């Protein structure tokens, strides 16, 4: 948004998952980063020429009210909560809280756009996950997981998810770049 990459795109939908102070280096402050995310919602609300606009907002993030305020009066606002999603339906890849949050947002968007629950369940059940995101590349004789987490918050999410998924197992983390 700060680089105007969203300009001249008539979005149907804006989605707010969460906000963490991860990208402040390119924004200068958390407040500027929050303002940039809110600006995207404002651009969808006021600049998109679509007649029906949709705003999907994570009700579990403490900033959700600000996003709802920006979208209010410009389209349909739907708040989602990942605690309401049934992960056993797609257990093959939703082993972490952030994947559950992503799946919850995707389900909310799909349902709002008229995709049937059956098609959503089928798609999620056959989805193997995204390469490099909590990807188990070796299962035996020990497990190796690749994740491209690169910020303190994202690394914390990966490690806490792995600890939760594999209680009592030793966790050896190697991080860096090649």
């Amino acid at each position: 948004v700060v680089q105007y990459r969203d300009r001249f795109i008539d979005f149907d939908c804006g989605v707010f998952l969460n906000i963490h102070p991860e990208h402040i280096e390119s924004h200068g402050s958390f407040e500027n980063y929050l303002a940039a995310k809110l600006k995207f919602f404002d651009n969808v609300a006021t600049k998109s020429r679509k007649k029906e606009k949709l705003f999907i907002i994570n009700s579990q993030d403490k900033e959700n009210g600000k996003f709802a305020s920006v979208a209010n009066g410009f389209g349909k606002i739907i708040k989602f909560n990942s605690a309401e999603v049934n992960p056993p339906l797609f257990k093959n890849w939703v082993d972490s809280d952030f994947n559950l949050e992503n799946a919850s947002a995707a389900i909310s968007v799909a349902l709002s756009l008229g995709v049937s629950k059956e098609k959503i369940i089928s798609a999620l059940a056959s989805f193997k996950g995204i390469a490099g995101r909590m990807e188990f590349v070796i299962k035996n004789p020990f497990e190796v997981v690749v994740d491209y987490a690169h910020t303190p918050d994202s690394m914390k999410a990966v490690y806490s998810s792995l600890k939760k998924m594999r209680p009592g197992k030793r966790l050896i983390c190697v991080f860096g770049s090649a």
Side-chain angles (χ1 to χ4, degrees):
V1 174
V2 173
Q3 297 172 345
Y4 308 108
R5 293 179 183 173
D6 64 325
R7 287 284 173 97
F8 312 111
I9 300 173
D10 291 318
F11 289 97
D12 292 283
C13 181
V15 178
F16 170 65
L17 285 173
N18 57 50
I19 186 161
H20 298 287
E22 296 179 332
H23 302 287
I24 59 172
E25 72 281 351
S26 61
H27 292 276
S29 70
F30 179 77
E31 292 73 24
N32 290 346
Y33 179 43
L34 175 61
K37 280 198 164 194
L38 289 166
K39 182 69 177 158
F40 173 72
F41 257 51
D42 182 65
N43 288 350
V44 173
T46 62
K47 299 207 177 3
S48 175
R49 292 175 289 179
K50 297 291 176 111
K51 289 183 182 182
E52 294 183 28
K53 298 170 197 165
L54 180 61
F55 299 92
I56 307 293
I57 300 172
N58 181 356
S59 66
Q60 294 171 291
D61 190 276
K62 67 179 183 178
E63 303 292 351
N64 78 78
K66 293 177 182 173
F67 288 84
S69 268
V70 169
N72 191 30
F74 291 98
K76 186 175 184 180
I77 297 173
I78 295 172
K79 291 192 176 186
F80 72 91
N81 180 332
S82 60
E84 298 168 358
V85 174
N86 184 1
L89 295 175
F90 38 93
K91 191 68 177 147
N92 57 327
W93 65 277
V94 179
D95 281 325
S96 59
D97 292 338
F98 61 84
N99 276 337
L100 186 56
E101 192 174 81
N102 292 337
S104 300
I107 290 167
S108 296
V109 171
L111 285 172
S112 300
L113 295 175
V115 178
S116 73
K117 280 187 178 186
E118 294 75 24
K119 282 191 179 196
I120 294 169
I121 290 168
S122 172
L124 289 173
S126 64
F127 183 62
K128 302 294 183 220
I130 297 171
R133 294 305 326 251
M134 292 294 279
E135 180 182 9
F136 284 78
V137 294
I138 296 174
K139 295 264 186 177
N140 287 309
F142 52 84
E143 296 173 321
V144 175
V145 179
V146 172
D147 192 279
Y148 295 126
H150 63 284
T151 63
D153 282 335
S154 60
M155 290 172 84
K156 182 180 176 184
V158 167
Y159 298 152
S160 65
S161 292
L162 286 169
K163 281 183 165 186
K164 210 185 309 182
M165 291 162 51
R166 306 296 190 266
K169 287 201 174 181
R170 189 170 175 194
L171 183 63
I172 299 172
C173 305
V174 179
F175 59 94
S177 62

Coordinates of all heavy atoms in Angstrom, one line a residue, residues 5 12-13 25 32-34 41-43 62 69 89 91 94 96 117 129 141 143 145 156 160:
R5 N 1.1 -0.4 -4.7 CA 0.9 -1.6 -5.5 C -0.6 -2.1 -5.6 O -0.9 -2.9 -6.4 CB 1.7 -2.8 -5.0 CG 3.2 -2.6 -5.1 CD 4.0 -3.7 -4.5 NE 5.4 -3.5 -4.5 CZ 6.3 -4.2 -4.0 NH1 5.9 -5.3 -3.3 NH2 7.5 -3.9 -4.1
D12 N -12.6 -7.1 -4.8 CA -13.9 -7.5 -4.3 C -13.9 -7.6 -2.8 O -14.9 -7.5 -2.1 CB -14.2 -8.9 -4.8 CG -14.5 -8.9 -6.3 OD1 -15.5 -8.4 -6.8 OD2 -13.6 -9.4 -7.1
C13 N -12.7 -7.9 -2.2 CA -12.6 -8.3 -0.8 C -11.3 -7.8 -0.2 O -10.3 -7.8 -0.8 CB -12.7 -9.8 -0.8 SG -12.7 -10.5 0.8
E25 N 10.3 -2.1 10.2 CA 11.6 -1.6 9.6 C 11.3 -0.9 8.3 O 12.0 0.1 8.0 CB 12.6 -2.7 9.4 CG 12.3 -3.7 8.3 CD 11.3 -4.8 8.6 OE1 10.9 -4.9 9.8 OE2 10.9 -5.5 7.7
N32 N 2.6 3.4 11.9 CA 2.7 3.5 10.5 C 2.3 2.3 9.8 O 1.6 2.3 8.7 CB 4.0 4.0 10.0 CG 4.4 5.4 10.4 OD1 3.5 6.2 10.8 ND2 5.6 5.8 10.3
Y33 N 2.7 1.1 10.3 CA 2.4 -0.2 9.7 C 0.9 -0.4 9.8 O 0.3 -0.9 8.9 CB 3.2 -1.3 10.5 CG 3.0 -2.7 10.0 CD1 2.9 -3.0 8.6 CD2 2.8 -3.7 10.9 CE1 2.6 -4.3 8.2 CE2 2.6 -5.0 10.5 CZ 2.5 -5.3 9.1 OH 2.3 -6.6 8.7
L34 N 0.3 -0.2 11.0 CA -1.1 -0.3 11.2 C -1.9 0.6 10.2 O -2.8 0.2 9.6 CB -1.5 0.0 12.6 CG -3.0 0.0 13.0 CD1 -3.6 -1.3 12.7 CD2 -3.2 0.4 14.4
F41 N -7.7 -1.3 3.5 CA -9.1 -1.5 3.7 C -9.8 -0.3 3.2 O -10.9 -0.4 2.6 CB -9.4 -1.7 5.2 CG -9.7 -3.2 5.5 CD1 -8.9 -4.2 5.1 CD2 -10.9 -3.5 6.2 CE1 -9.2 -5.5 5.4 CE2 -11.2 -4.8 6.5 CZ -10.3 -5.8 6.1
D42 N -9.3 0.9 3.5 CA -9.9 2.2 3.0 C -9.9 2.2 1.5 O -10.9 2.6 0.9 CB -9.1 3.4 3.6 CG -9.8 4.7 3.1 OD1 -10.9 4.9 3.6 OD2 -9.1 5.4 2.4
N43 N -8.8 1.8 0.9 CA -8.8 1.7 -0.6 C -9.8 0.8 -1.2 O -10.5 1.1 -2.2 CB -7.4 1.4 -1.1 CG -6.4 2.5 -0.9 OD1 -6.7 3.6 -0.5 ND2 -5.1 2.2 -1.0
K62 N -6.8 -7.9 18.4 CA -7.2 -6.7 19.2 C -7.5 -5.5 18.3 O -8.2 -4.6 18.8 CB -6.3 -6.4 20.3 CG -4.9 -5.9 19.8 CD -4.0 -5.6 21.0 CE -2.7 -5.1 20.5 NZ -1.8 -4.7 21.5
S69 N -14.3 -0.4 11.4 CA -14.7 1.0 11.3 C -14.4 1.6 10.0 O -15.2 2.3 9.4 CB -13.9 1.8 12.3 OG -14.6 2.0 13.5
L89 N -11.2 -31.8 9.9 CA -11.6 -31.9 8.6 C -10.4 -31.8 7.6 O -10.5 -32.3 6.5 CB -12.7 -30.8 8.2 CG -14.0 -30.9 8.9 CD1 -14.9 -29.7 8.6 CD2 -14.7 -32.2 8.5
K91 N -6.9 -32.0 8.9 CA -5.8 -32.2 9.8 C -4.5 -32.4 9.1 O -3.4 -32.3 9.7 CB -6.1 -33.4 10.7 CG -5.2 -33.5 11.9 CD -5.3 -32.4 12.8 CE -4.4 -32.6 14.0 NZ -3.9 -31.4 14.6
V94 N -3.3 -28.4 8.8 CA -3.6 -27.4 9.8 C -3.1 -28.0 11.2 O -3.9 -28.4 11.9 CB -5.1 -27.0 9.8 CG1 -5.3 -26.0 10.9 CG2 -5.5 -26.4 8.5
S96 N -1.0 -26.0 13.0 CA -0.5 -24.8 13.7 C -1.6 -23.7 13.8 O -2.5 -23.7 13.0 CB 0.7 -24.2 13.0 OG 0.3 -23.9 11.6
K117 N -20.3 -25.5 1.4 CA -19.5 -26.1 2.4 C -18.8 -27.4 2.0 O -17.7 -27.7 2.3 CB -20.3 -26.3 3.7 CG -20.6 -25.1 4.5 CD -21.3 -25.5 5.8 CE -21.5 -24.3 6.6 NZ -22.1 -24.6 7.9
G129 N -0.9 -28.2 1.9 CA -0.2 -27.2 2.5 C 0.7 -26.4 1.5 O 0.7 -26.8 0.4
P141 N 14.1 -41.2 10.2 CA 14.0 -41.7 11.6 C 13.7 -40.6 12.5 O 13.5 -40.8 13.7 CB 15.3 -42.3 11.8 CG 16.3 -41.6 10.9 CD 15.4 -41.2 9.7
E143 N 12.0 -36.2 12.5 CA 11.3 -35.3 11.6 C 12.1 -34.0 11.4 O 12.8 -33.5 12.2 CB 10.0 -34.9 12.4 CG 9.0 -36.1 12.6 CD 7.8 -35.8 13.4 OE1 8.0 -35.0 14.4 OE2 6.7 -36.3 13.1
V145 N 11.3 -30.3 9.7 CA 10.3 -29.3 9.2 C 11.0 -28.1 8.7 O 11.9 -27.6 9.2 CB 9.4 -28.9 10.4 CG1 8.4 -27.9 10.0 CG2 8.8 -30.1 11.1
K156 N 8.3 -17.6 16.7 CA 7.7 -18.0 17.9 C 6.4 -18.8 17.6 O 6.2 -19.9 18.3 CB 7.3 -16.8 18.8 CG 6.6 -17.1 20.1 CD 6.3 -15.8 20.8 CE 5.5 -16.1 22.1 NZ 5.1 -14.9 22.8
S160 N 6.2 -22.7 18.9 CA 5.2 -23.1 19.8 C 4.2 -24.1 19.2 O 3.7 -25.0 19.9 CB 4.4 -21.9 20.4 OG 3.7 -21.2 19.3

